[in-house]
Amino acid sequence: MFPPLTTGCEERVGLIEPRSLAFHTRLAQGGYFYIVIGDVAPVRTANPTPKLYDESQIEMYKKLADALHEHDCKVALQLFHPEYDVQGVGKMIVEAGIAG
């Protein structure tokens, strides 16, 4: 099992893109049977972790799940609410286009 943790392969804007997809796929190819994607924020935040707060993001998680399932690997998400991301500061960062 690969536990939920921040790997450094996460995209700064909160997407599961080629780098993190390739990282997790390599884990599954290497024999991990269960991978938990760590620190997935269920809200729009400036925090640079994977995000899942609206339906437009479901496709990237489906792509990840499909890639891992090809190697007989299960996948789960660890939800993480960045409570220290003060709403005013987070909004300012998002509006400035610094984070997704």
Side-chain angles (χ1 to χ4, degrees):
M1 178 194 163
F2 191 81
L5 53 91
T6 303
T7 64
C9 290
E10 297 83 10
E11 317 308 331
R12 301 293 298 172
V13 294
L15 301 175
I16 302 294
E17 291 191 326
R19 182 177 171 195
S20 51
L21 179 63
F23 175 81
H24 289 97
T25 301
R26 282 193 309 272
L27 291 174
Q29 289 170 332
Y32 282 92
F33 64 92
Y34 182 64
I35 296 172
V36 182
I37 308 302
D39 292 347
V40 177
V43 295
R44 188 171 186 206
T45 175
N47 191 294
T49 63
K51 294 171 182 58
L52 182 55
Y53 60 85
D54 72 37
E55 289 187 20
S56 70
Q57 297 159 323
I58 292 173
E59 186 59 33
M60 69 181 176
Y61 285 98
K62 182 182 181 324
K63 186 176 180 180
L64 173 64
D66 289 346
L68 299 183
H69 291 162
E70 284 182 25
H71 303 284
D72 208 20
C73 180
K74 305 286 186 201
V75 62
L77 304 176
Q78 175 196 45
L79 293 180
F80 162 74
H81 194 286
E83 67 280 348
Y84 57 83
D85 186 2
V86 179
Q87 186 176 9
V89 173
K91 181 180 177 194
M92 185 171 55
I93 292 171
V94 169
E95 288 175 354
I98 298 169

